[in-house]
Amino acid sequence: FPGKRVIDAMVDLPFALPTAVAGIALATLYAPNGWIGQLLEPLGIKIAFTPAGIVIALIFVGLPFVVRTVQPIMEEIDKEVEEAAATLGASRFQTISRVLLPGLLPAGLTGFALAFARGVGEYGSVIFIAGNLPYVSEIAPLLIVIRLEEFNYPAATAIAAVMLVISFAMLLVINSIQAWSRRRYVYVA
């Protein structure tokens, strides 16, 4: 379709854009006087400086991981598979849920795990749009910086260790999903 290359390049934008620039741009867009924020404010929806802003920033940074892991699998799916399902009487929903999604599930889970692992330590894009309110919209990397500024190295190390364990667990999840996918593919083929 026209514009496919532009959309493809936009997916990679978070990879190329410095995270601080992304955070400033998102905060500017979603602030109450921003392009998007001014449309949402009359509806009573506040994004910037709330936990919702953190979610949007993490989606912005993590989406390319999901897209880039799912896209090659989608490109490999033959059109004949969908046509065969339709010929056998499957509805569009059945074709998607029983034919296409099972093959995309491992790649989607891997992309989500990669995005989550990236989001655990994300600082630049989140710091500007988060409200940094204690127990509401604080982020772990900011807590580390605060503890370091207080010269509380054990607390900073403890927070960093927890983040490291979470990231390592996500790597284990990714490897498990890939191993499961390989075993599943060998048995099916």
Side-chain angles (χ1 to χ4, degrees), residues 10 17 72 85 111 149:
M10 286 174 56
L17 193 65
E149 289 175 351

Side-chain angles (χ1 to χ4, degrees), residues 149-169:
E149 289 175 351
E150 296 171 346
F151 299 103
N152 189 351
Y153 299 119
T157 304
I159 297 168
V162 169
M163 292 173 60
L164 180 65
V165 167
I166 292 170
S167 295
F168 184 71

Side-chain angles (χ1 to χ4, degrees), residues 103 106-107 110 175-187:
T110 300
N175 287 332
S176 299
I177 291 169
Q178 290 174 343
W180 170 73
S181 177
R182 276 186 248 118
R183 280 194 314 268
R184 187 171 175 266
Y185 181 72
V186 170
Y187 294 128

